[in-house]
């Protein structure tokens, strides 16, 4: 099974129109000295971030890099890319269950839920401190949990009985180009 992600027609045009509106809105209220009506975003910066998510070819590259970075971690699954263009992305279907649904169905599985929390935190640390490519949209709709089939999937380094985390939507990632700066930042958070 595959997942096909197709961009809505003219989405990039509609987004650009929205940011033109935001810029005009903010300029208009600045002229009237009514800054309290400003839309509190940097339109140029936000436009760059959001438009970068519309390039599915770049998202495919991000996914392939992430798959390589997590290749030795059997608890993190990044869907395999089969095809990409700027407006179409086809990946392997990697199904899972939402964290809240898993928690409802298995309220006594504290060890497994705690494990998932730890895996997410460690994967973010790996992305920032080792890979310098961090998923910048990692809300709970962009990842799920699943239990591998122990009969058919023989995974090296897998902690039997613990969930895997499937991470989707790699359209928005951040890179600083400076791993040491990332590490210094984390060190300052201690």
């Amino acid at each position: 099974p595959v997942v096909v992600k197709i961009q809505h027609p003219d989405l990039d045009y509609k987004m650009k129109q929205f940011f033109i509106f935001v810029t005009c809105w903010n300029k208009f209220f600045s002229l009237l000295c009514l800054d309290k009506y400003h839309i509190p975003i940097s339109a140029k910066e936000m436009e760059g971030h959001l438009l970068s998510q519309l390039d599915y070819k770049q998202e495919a590259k991000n996914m392939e890099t992430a798959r390589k970075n997590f290749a030795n971690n059997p608890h993190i699954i990044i869907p395999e890319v089969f095809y990409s263009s700027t407006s179409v992305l086809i990946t392997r279907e990697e199904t899972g269950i939402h964290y809240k649904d898993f928690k409802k169905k298995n309220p006594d599985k504290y060890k497994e839920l705690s494990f998932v929390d730890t895996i997410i935190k460690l994967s973010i640390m790996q992305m920032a401190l080792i890979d310098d490519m961090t998923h910048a949209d990692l809300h709970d709709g962009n990842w799920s949990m699943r239990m591998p089939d122990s009969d058919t999937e023989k995974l090296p380094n897998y902690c039997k009985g613990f969930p895997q985390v499937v991470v989707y939507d790699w359209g928005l990632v951040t890179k600083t180009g400076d791993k040491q700066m990332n590490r210094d930042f984390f060190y300052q958070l201690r």
Side-chain angles (χ1 to χ4, degrees), residues 162-187:
F162 288 95
Q164 294 175 307
V165 176
V166 183
V167 184
Y168 312 103
D169 193 1
W170 287 82
L172 186 59
V173 300
T174 58
K175 300 175 187 179
T176 66
D178 188 344
K179 292 178 189 177
Q180 188 57 49
M181 180 185 73
N182 298 351
R183 293 172 186 152
D184 291 344
F185 174 75
F186 266 82
Y187 180 76

Side-chain angles (χ1 to χ4, degrees), residues 9 12 31 45 50 119 142 152 190:
D12 59 338
L31 287 171
E45 192 174 306
L50 292 177
I119 286 294
N142 280 342
T152 60
R190 63 185 162 85

